[in-house]
Amino acid sequence: MEPFIQVLSDKGILPVDKSLKILCDKSRFAFLPLNSYDVDLELARKFPRVTCQRWCVLPFDRTSKSVLVATANPFNQQAAKELAEATPNRLLWYLVPPSDLVANVRKAFR
């Protein structure tokens, strides 16, 4: 469940901050510090647990007909496909620090 950029940081290859900067630049996803956001755990629990835990993604809020989703890997097309199948709403993706993401996924799916 640990995101790849966290593994790179743990092995001392590339710090998380640099990885997030590169991913933001390449994917053009917005960065969001998830620990300062009020995560809607009930919304997250409406999505498949297996998908969220396997791909380390977390739907964390809803705005009208869109669902905001946190990820540490913006290029994971399989995760996007599986979440899109679980909701008729549009998915808006945000890049978040892996430590915040893992903590919130664990909290949502205890």
Side-chain angles (χ1 to χ4, degrees):
M1 175 169 145
E2 199 166 15
F4 182 65
I5 60 175
Q6 184 66 47
V7 173
L8 290 177
S9 176
D10 292 346
K11 292 185 178 186
I13 298 171
L14 191 64
V16 172
D17 297 345
K18 282 192 170 194
S19 296
L20 288 171
K21 170 95 172 84
I22 292 168
L23 287 174
C24 281
D25 291 346
K26 295 295 181 186
S27 69
R28 300 200 183 252
F29 278 16
F31 175 80
L32 181 78
L34 197 60
N35 64 353
S36 64
Y37 200 92
D38 187 24
V39 175
D40 184 356
L41 296 177
E42 290 304 314
L43 173 68
R45 291 180 183 127
K46 291 179 183 176
F47 286 82
R49 169 192 294 255
V50 174
T51 299
C52 293
Q53 289 178 331
R54 179 187 317 134
W55 303 117
C56 203
V57 294
L58 183 70
F60 64 92
D61 201 4
R62 177 182 306 230
T63 60
S64 66
K65 294 184 179 184
S66 299
V67 174
L68 310 181
V69 183
T71 185
N73 180 1
F75 302 108
N76 188 340
Q77 295 298 315
Q78 186 62 34
K81 179 182 172 194
E82 289 178 23
L83 282 182
E85 290 172 354
T87 183
N89 299 325
R90 181 173 165 224
L91 300 176
L92 299 176
W93 293 85
Y94 289 88
L95 196 60
V96 300
S99 57
D100 297 350
L101 181 58
V102 169
N104 280 290
V105 168
R106 286 184 179 148
K107 189 188 321 181
F109 300 106
R110 289 182 194 187

